[in-house]
Amino acid sequence: MKKIILGLLLVPCFLLAQQKVSIIPQPVSLQLDKGNFTIDARTTISYNKADKSLKATANFLASGIKKISGINLSQNKGNFKKIEFKISPTNEIGEEGYLLNVTPDAVKITANSNKGLIYGIQSLFQILPQIRTNAVMAVPCMQVKDYPRFKWRGMHLDVSRHFFSVDMVKEYIELLAYYKMNTFHWHLVDDQGWRIEIKKYPKLTEIGAWRVDHNDKVWSYRPQAKEGEEATYGGFYTQEEIKDVVKFAAERGVNIVPEIEMPGHVASAIASYPELSCSQKHQLPLTGGDYTNMSSNYCAGNDEVFKFNEEVLTEVMALFPSKYIHIGGDEVDKTAWKNCPKCQKRMQNENLKTEEELQSYFIKRIEKFIVGKNRKMIGWDEILEGGLAQEAVVMSWRGEKGGIEAAKMNHEVVMTPGNPVYFDHYQAGPDGEPLAIGGMNTLKKVYDYEPIPKELPSENSKYILGAQANLWTEYITTNEGVEYMILPRMLALAEVVWSPATSKDWNSFNQRLKWHFRGFQQKGLHYSEGSDKITITPRIENGQLSVALSSEVLGCDIYYTLDGSDPNGNSIKYNAPFLIDKTETVLAASVCDGKVSKGIPSKLDFSIHKASAKNVSYLNNPASSYQANGNNTLTDGVRGTFNVSKYWHGFYAKDLVATIDLGETTPVRKISLGCLQNTGDWIFLPKAVKFEISVDGLNYKEVGQEIMPLNKVKDSKAIYNFATSFVPQQAKYVRVTAKILPELPKGHSGEGKPAWLFADEIIVE
Ligand code: TNX
């Protein structure tokens, strides 16, 4: 009898077509074999009952199977068809790795820890149907060996700017775990809302969790209440809810790193307990949620502030078992400290010379407390300023510079540079996309990210714990918005932090992504199909200007026009970079299966003049993060705009002194330099621009100067052409000197510090 049943059961293994396996992140090694294992009502989960922790893992597997098939798997019953997990010392796969061995008779998952088993189960889930179905639950026979490249595989969620329910947070964690991300950075505190119940300080959530609801998306600190308006927008998590979420995450191998911001970004705490701020006026009773114009910092001179934070952290650490506790530390506006007698006294007593050192004092004092509780403190890269605390871990967000610096000092680092892992930035468009904070971090940019910087000495690379994407929610107001911004970019990041660097393969990733897109559709998750925008890149080579077109969408053709019409399948097909030798507009779109992509076409205007494509040399080089198109950006014919930063060359603290070699002596009658002002970003028009010409490149003659026009001083944003016109003169060289503003004006957040100077084009006529 037994034999017959066995024979019948084996049939599907030979009849079912080999299923595709589309695991993301790509496993270290995967070998598909012939046949399938079929999960059915007779399958049992088998494990060592003596190990209590395995029970939760078995339940996790059982409930996942039930959800997609309705099958109730038994546990440790019978000896027939098993999904077996075993914790046993296994080489090469580390703490989080797993071996998954599927044969027609059994699925075996082996790991060194429960976490590894969970990842094996996640791989299994990715192979099975994504939603409830009556289909046969067939798992292709295979052997998988898999383990992560990095130990910090993080996703962050800001629940302060907008509040997200426990259910949404769980959904987020579930998605993380499904893609083997193991760290959830929960940004619980910011100016716009305090989101965690603290028993000792109830006002934090009675007052600090609520604000007036103007349904606007950008706030400075906290939105200003109108007369009689109530603070009705917000929410917070009770300690019981937090315990539940922590448990939920742990069952999926996800560690939650709570972030309790300090000493800045805490208008919500100050609104609740004004006495924690520097200013006396904040100690008046506050009503109606009007907390504008307050300093959003804790007072660093007040010992009560430290007592408060230590007591808050004590409750936080009791809730979160995480070794790492995040204390924020970013973007502290030091103005209040400069004007605060208590802060100034602290600086005197502690022999601190700058407010940066005062911030460092603050953070170090908190670190001591955290380390005393056997935890590790992590903070944004500003904690490097004024001296890094002894054991602090640095989260590098303003590029990778801070991370490199910290890793060189043998501090642990998590890489989370705004470009490309801020998922609040656009991933496509921006036309047709939900309004976002700015920037453009496409799926491919995320996929191509390498967390270990080239410039880091190899012996220090071990300090790079991994990478993380951050989801700030100033512009994200709904659950759908959260899903849309992380899907599918999180999948690209998952592959970056899990899979071996050598196995990266954009084509293969896109292939596997299709299966996951289908799953998103079936589950009703909101996701982006990626950027179908064509990137138009100006190039200068051998004194010629050309244009390259590229697309992230695979398997499509690119078509373009030069006559201003919208491109379609009858336009010019792009094969290779083409020359631009007159003023014209390039419009480009991708055409897939005969259909023009849905977004509006990409467009770039080129204006050609006497200096076009000519070589530019600089006395002071542009800053590394504002290289635009490289050396000859100022002669590539492309102008910058307020929205698109990539065509601007940025200079910091030093003047722009650019010399153009026109290649031949030619009559010149007008020269101009395009500059940007965006005061909020510390970018100011130059004080003055001087224009010179030369025939021999040695002797220069001034042909004009323009002083920064007075009517521009007050503009927070401006694009202005500094220019000079003169009677035509022979020139082979043109030199332009733009004087940078050496000190930001009084009242500016960077008062006294040098400004940035941004320029896009030197036009010679
Ligand atoms: C900077 S990243 C911030 C956040 C903002 C974010 C917007 C960081 C440590 N601070 O407070 O939400 O930019 O992208």
Side-chain angles (χ1 to χ4, degrees):
M1 180 66 180
K2 201 169 178 184
K3 257 191 192 150
I4 296 168
I5 294 173
L6 251 183
L8 280 176
L9 284 172
L10 284 177
V11 169
C13 295
F14 301 110
L15 288 188
L16 280 176
Q18 189 92 83
Q19 257 175 273
K20 260 225 201 107
V21 173
S22 295
I23 300 174
I24 291 178
Q26 179 69 46
V28 174
S29 81
L30 185 153
Q31 189 203 310
L32 274 179
D33 298 327
K34 270 216 175 100
N36 295 282
F37 174 90
T38 312
I39 299 171
D40 59 30
R42 282 157 294 192
T43 310
T44 193
I45 308 174
S46 142
Y47 56 94
N48 176 6
K49 270 197 267 184
D51 186 342
K52 287 258 154 42
S53 70
L54 292 182
K55 175 83 190 154
T57 308
N59 290 343
F60 175 60
L61 171 62
S63 71
I65 297 293
K66 174 139 202 241
K67 205 151 101 193
I68 53 173
S69 66
I71 297 170
N72 276 309
L73 293 183
S74 62
Q75 294 186 20
N76 288 316
K77 286 240 172 73
N79 205 11
F80 183 44
K81 287 179 57 186
K82 286 188 203 163
I83 301 179
E84 184 181 291
F85 24 90
K86 207 163 48 205
I87 295 189
S88 89
T90 310
N91 287 336
E92 282 184 68
I93 58 171
E95 206 227 327
E96 293 182 290
Y98 65 93
L99 303 175
L100 170 65
N101 198 331
V102 184
T103 62
D105 317 307
V107 173
K108 285 189 183 152
I109 307 176
T110 316
N112 287 312
S113 74
N114 215 1
K115 277 192 193 161
L117 295 179
I118 292 170
Y119 290 136
I121 293 171
Q122 296 289 19
S123 289
L124 196 62
F125 284 157
Q126 287 199 8
I127 298 162
L128 289 165
Q130 305 291 292
I131 47 160
R132 178 67 206 263
T133 157
N134 291 324
V136 180
M137 293 284 120
V139 187
C141 297
M142 64 178 131
Q143 290 166 52
V144 179
K145 177 163 100 184
D146 202 10
Y147 52 86
R149 179 172 170 213
F150 289 103
K151 60 180 173 209
W152 188 297
R153 304 183 299 280
M155 286 293 293
H156 150 290
L157 180 65
D158 168 8
V159 294
S160 173
R161 272 55 177 271
H162 280 100
F163 178 68
F164 296 95
S165 67
V166 167
D167 282 346
M168 182 59 211
V169 170
K170 283 185 175 174
E171 179 191 318
Y172 197 77
I173 292 170
E174 187 119 53
L175 279 168
L176 260 71
Y178 196 68
Y179 293 103
K180 303 190 177 77
M181 303 297 279
N182 67 352
T183 306
F184 172 48
H185 173 166
W186 204 355
H187 186 75
L188 289 160
V189 172
D190 215 304
D191 292 318
Q192 293 84 353
W194 183 286
R195 305 290 179 217
I196 172 172
E197 178 192 21
I198 301 293
K199 305 259 188 209
K200 193 137 200 184
Y201 295 96
K203 283 198 263 175
L204 286 173
T205 43
E206 283 164 19
I207 296 173
W210 304 96
R211 63 169 184 253
V212 293
D213 185 6
H214 288 171
N215 198 24
D216 48 2
K217 290 176 182 133
V218 199
W219 303 282
S220 58
Y221 305 136
R222 291 167 74 82
Q224 186 160 10
K226 296 181 193 112
E227 189 72 28
E229 218 175 0
E230 298 273 325
T232 54
Y233 178 86
F236 64 94
Y237 311 102
T238 65
Q239 296 207 348
E240 283 314 305
E241 285 172 327
I242 296 220
K243 282 182 207 160
D244 176 44
V245 174
V246 168
K247 181 167 162 277
F248 179 89
E251 282 164 8
R252 286 154 183 78
V254 173
N255 177 48
I256 305 186
V257 176
E259 179 180 349
I260 305 299
E261 270 266 20
M262 62 187 80
H265 276 261
V266 288
S268 56
I270 304 288
S272 318
Y273 296 96
E275 61 275 21
L276 299 173
S277 92
C278 290
S279 164
Q280 293 301 311
K281 84 168 188 253
H282 302 147
Q283 302 194 11
L284 300 169
L286 288 157
T287 51
D290 180 0
Y291 315 114
T292 44
N293 304 320
M294 296 180 38
S295 158
S296 61
N297 296 357
Y298 293 126
C299 173
N302 179 353
D303 282 334
E304 288 300 311
V305 161
F306 291 92
K307 183 167 163 270
F308 165 84
N309 276 305
E310 289 174 8
E311 286 172 345
V312 167
L313 286 172
T314 301
E315 291 192 30
V316 168
M317 286 189 272
L319 293 167
F320 294 95
S322 172
K323 180 169 124 194
Y324 298 94
I325 302 293
H326 204 301
I327 52 75
D330 60 313
E331 300 181 319
V332 181
D333 174 0
K334 320 261 177 356
T335 323
W337 290 355
K338 280 192 187 132
N339 304 322
C340 166
K342 281 191 206 155
C343 289
Q344 293 304 314
K345 184 149 172 267
R346 170 89 73 203
M347 286 173 66
Q348 248 175 24
N349 292 350
E350 299 289 335
N351 199 15
L352 308 169
K353 282 175 248 5
T354 59
E355 280 72 25
E356 279 69 30
E357 287 183 20
L358 181 59
Q359 152 135 342
S360 166
Y361 163 89
F362 192 112
I363 302 287
K364 283 177 180 160
R365 192 162 155 180
I366 292 293
E367 184 193 40
K368 215 166 165 187
F369 177 76
I370 292 176
V371 169
K373 303 277 181 211
N374 256 325
R375 307 290 181 101
K376 269 197 155 186
M377 185 194 76
I378 178 163
W380 300 111
D381 57 41
E382 284 91 334
I383 65 171
L384 280 154
E385 292 162 10
L388 188 56
Q390 217 164 10
E391 296 174 42
V393 184
V394 172
M395 206 165 245
S396 193
W397 73 277
R398 296 174 302 174
E400 295 188 317
K401 208 171 117 259
I404 293 170
E405 192 183 329
K408 280 187 180 163
M409 298 192 294
N410 301 351
H411 281 254
E412 289 181 333
V413 168
V414 176
M415 283 299 186
T416 170
N419 173 358
V421 287
Y422 265 36
F423 288 180
D424 57 337
H425 293 194
Y426 286 102
Q427 56 195 319
D431 309 301
E433 287 292 300
L435 182 67
I437 198 158
M440 179 63 75
N441 289 333
T442 63
L443 183 63
K444 179 142 198 309
K445 262 175 89 177
V446 178
Y447 193 78
D448 287 341
Y449 181 54
E450 169 49 49
I452 304 214
K454 280 194 203 74
E455 53 269 58
L456 188 66
S458 59
E459 66 270 25
N460 293 75
S461 64
K462 63 171 183 273
Y463 293 107
I464 309 294
L465 296 179
Q468 174 177 298
N470 296 333
L471 194 66
W472 301 101
T473 58
E474 288 97 332
Y475 290 79
I476 304 170
T477 57
T478 62
N479 295 353
E480 293 77 17
V482 169
E483 293 167 3
Y484 185 82
M485 296 309 265
I486 67 165
L487 300 177
R489 286 186 288 189
M490 181 181 71
L491 283 64
L493 180 65
E495 199 136 315
V496 167
V497 288
W498 178 283
S499 308
T502 47
S503 76
K504 257 199 195 173
D505 181 341
W506 173 240
N507 280 321
S508 145
F509 175 72
N510 273 276
Q511 282 307 322
R512 283 176 283 128
L513 206 50
K514 289 182 188 161
W515 167 257
H516 295 262
F517 279 178
R518 215 185 80 168
F520 298 157
Q521 278 165 24
Q522 291 173 331
K523 292 177 188 165
L525 290 167
H526 297 77
Y527 68 100
S528 160
E529 280 176 10
S531 181
D532 57 6
K533 269 261 150 157
I534 304 299
T535 306
I536 306 178
T537 313
R539 307 164 8 132
I540 294 179
E541 263 169 12
N542 309 322
Q544 287 188 316
L545 177 62
S546 64
V547 160
L549 305 179
S550 58
S551 158
E552 291 190 0
V553 182
L554 293 170
C556 301
D557 294 317
I558 301 175
Y559 285 84
Y560 68 94
T561 65
L562 297 169
D563 61 5
S565 65
D566 280 358
N568 56 40
N570 299 320
S571 310
I572 316 167
K573 187 169 175 193
Y574 175 77
N575 298 310
F578 52 93
L579 288 183
I580 299 278
D581 50 13
K582 58 177 188 295
T583 296
E584 58 195 350
T585 299
V586 177
L587 278 153
S590 52
V591 177
C592 315
D593 301 326
K595 272 199 237 116
V596 185
S597 64
K598 55 183 176 357
I600 67 165
S602 304
K603 179 176 173 212
L604 201 58
D605 296 316
F606 289 86
S607 41
I608 300 301
H609 49 86
K610 283 198 164 172
S612 294
K614 299 295 187 272
N615 273 337
V616 184
S617 55
Y618 285 119
L619 185 64
N620 308 310
N621 283 326
S624 60
S625 37
Y626 296 103
Q627 293 283 325
N629 270 319
N631 245 354
N632 296 331
T633 291
L634 294 189
T635 55
D636 66 4
V638 180
R639 304 302 307 266
T641 64
F642 289 124
N643 299 333
V644 184
S645 59
K646 70 177 171 191
Y647 301 116
W648 295 102
H649 252 180
F651 297 82
Y652 187 62
K654 288 185 182 151
D655 295 340
L656 174 159
V657 186
T659 307
I660 302 178
D661 182 348
L662 296 175
E664 56 180 0
T665 306
T666 174
V668 170
R669 59 175 177 83
K670 187 173 178 195
I671 312 169
S672 67
L673 173 75
C675 293
L676 175 73
Q677 178 147 287
N678 191 349
T679 57
D681 289 342
W682 298 32
I683 303 165
F684 280 72
L685 293 176
K687 285 196 325 182
V689 179
K690 180 170 80 179
F691 301 95
E692 296 164 295
I693 56 171
S694 165
V695 175
D696 57 8
L698 297 168
N699 304 298
Y700 280 87
K701 180 169 131 196
E702 188 179 317
V703 285
Q705 270 224 38
E706 186 175 355
I707 310 281
M708 144 101 164
L710 274 177
N711 63 354
K712 294 279 163 211
V713 175
K714 286 235 145 51
D715 288 356
S716 59
K717 282 187 170 200
I719 291 176
Y720 183 72
N721 282 354
F722 288 80
T724 183
S725 298
F726 43 93
V727 181
Q729 298 190 36
Q730 292 290 329
K732 182 164 183 280
Y733 300 92
V734 168
R735 185 161 70 192
V736 178
T737 304
K739 288 271 167 215
I740 203 158
L741 185 71
E743 287 187 3
L744 291 167
K746 248 194 158 12
H748 189 275
S749 63
E751 178 182 332
K753 298 209 173 104
W756 280 89
L757 193 164
F758 271 47
D760 60 349
E761 189 82 358
I762 295 176
I763 300 170
V764 178
E765 291 165 46

